[in-house]
Amino acid sequence: MLMTLKQDQSFWRTALECLAGMLALGLITFCCFHFHLAVPTPTFLYLIVIVLLSLRGSFLASAVVSFAAVGCLDYFFVRPIFSLRVGEPSDLVAVLAFLMTSAVITRLVSRVRKLMQEKLQRSETYLAEAQQLSHTGSFGWKVATGEIIWSAESFRIFQLDPKRKPTLELIFARIHPDDLALVKQAIEAAAMEARDFHFEHRLLLPDGAVKHLEVVAHAEKDDAGTFEYVGAVMDVTARKRAEDSLHSAQANLARIARLTTMGELTASIAHEVNQPLAAVVTNANAGLRWLDRETPDLGEVREAIRRIIRDGNRGSEVIARIRALLKKKPTPRERLDINEVVQETIALTRVYLQGASLQTELARARTAVLGDRVQLQQVMLNLMVNAMDAMKEVTDRPRRLFIQTEVQEDNCMLVAIQDTGTGLEPAQMEQLFEAFYTTKPQGMGMGLAISRSIIEGHGGRLWAEPNHGPGTTFKFTLPAVEGSTA
Ligand code: ADP
C-alpha cells in the first residue's frame, strides 16, 4: 500500500519534471530561432537546463529532456533546418558532442545525488538507532504555527502512532495528570519569552504504565524570523528506578548506621547475644532440675555449668567483637577448618533442635579457610535457627536439618544448610537479605543482612535456593587458603 503510494508519487514527479524541462527547451528554442542565434548558444542553454534538471530532478527526466534537446538542436539549428538530417560533418560532431556531454552530465550528477542520498540515509539510520538505544527522541516545534515534528523514537516514547500528526493536545493527553499543570506552565512561560526549557515529568500511558521523561529544548529563530524549538525527550524511567532503589538502600543504610551508633546499639546487640543468653537459661534450668532430684546428679550439674560458662564466654566474645567494630578495629582472621566450625555450631544449637533430626555430610578434604571463628559461627547459628523456625509449624512431614560442606572446583568451601520447612516464594529469595525484612512476629530481620555482610567481608557469597521438595537451602561459599589442609 505504502509502496504503491510512493511509486505513484515518483511517477507524477518525473512527469512534472519532464514537462518543466520540455517547456524550458521550447522557450529556448523559440527565442534562439526567433533571434537567429547560431548553434553554440542553444547548445549551452540546453546544457544549462539539463544540468539544472539533473540536480533537482530524476535521472529519467534528465535523459528524456537530453534526447529532446538533441532533437531540437538538429531540427531547428543544424543545416538543413526543419530536418533531422545533418549535412556538415562538423555539425555531426557538434551534435554528437552535445549528446555525449549531456549524457555524462546526467549520469555524473545523478551518481553524486545518489551517493549523497545514501550518505544521508545512512546517517539517518544511525541517528534513529542511536535514539532508540539511548531512549532519546528529538522534536522541532514552530510556536507560531503550532507545527510539531517528531523523530520515530519520540513517537515510540509517547506510544503514539507515527502516522498521526503530533499536537500539543495529543502530548498533554499522555502527560501524568499530577504533572500536567506544571508542564503546561513551564512550556507556556518559556514560549512567551522564547527561552530554552529543561524539566522532568511523567507520562501516564493507556496501559497504566508510568514513564519518567527529561525534556530539554533550545529556542532559535528560523529563516522567516519566527522562533522555533529544537529539543530532545529522554526516557529516564530506568535511571529513576535505580535512583529510587538507591535512595531506599541509603535510607536503610542510614537506619542501620543509626542503630549502630551509641545508645541505639541495643537492637543489634540483642540479636547477637540473644542466642548465647537463651542457651545459658536453658542450661541453668537443666542444672536446677538435676539438683532438685532426690539424689542430685552432680555430674550433670557440672556439665550444665560448663555449658553455661561456654555460652557466657560466647556472649562476651560477641560484645567484644561489637566493641571492636565500633572502634573500627579489624576482627582477627585465623586459619580455620570449616568442618570444625560447623561442629562447634551444631553443639551450640542442640538446645533448639526441638524434635527435628539433624544429618551432616562433611567434606573429607580438610581444606582451610581464613576467617573470624565467632563471626562464622554467628552466620551458621543464624541459618540453623532460621531453619528450625521454618520447620516449627511442619506436622505432615519429617523435620530434617541437613548440613553439608564441600570443596568446590573453583577452590571455594561450600556450606549448605537445608531444611524441610515452609519454604520461600521466588520473590522472597533476595528480599530476605534486606535489613529489617522479617515475617516473624518477634523477628528483627537483621540476621540474614548481617550474615551476608559477614560472608561478603570474608570474600564469599551467601544465597538461598528452593529445594526440589519442600523447604529451603541456604548456601555460602568461602575462598579456601591456597593448597591448604587445615
Ligand atoms: P528474622 O529471623 O529476625 O526474621 P532474618 O534476617 O534472619 O531475620 O530472616 C528474615 C526472614 O527470612 C525471616 O523472617 C523468614 O521469613 C525468612 N527466612 C529465613 N530463613 C528461612 C528459612 N530457612 N525458611 C523460610 N524462611 C526463612
Side-chain angles (χ1 to χ4, degrees), residues 8-24 53 57-58 61 65:
D8 272 4
Q9 276 178 352
S10 94
F11 170 78
W12 285 113
R13 242 191 85 191
T14 311
L16 266 175
E17 282 159 4
C18 282
L19 190 71
M22 295 301 188
L23 280 175
L53 207 60
S58 68
V65 172

Side-chain angles (χ1 to χ4, degrees), residues 242-264:
E243 275 172 13
D244 287 351
S245 59
L246 185 68
H247 284 152
S248 87
Q250 277 170 341
N252 268 341
L253 212 62
R255 280 169 76 193
I256 294 169
R258 241 193 353 261
L259 271 179
T260 48
T261 55
M262 302 303 280
E264 289 197 55

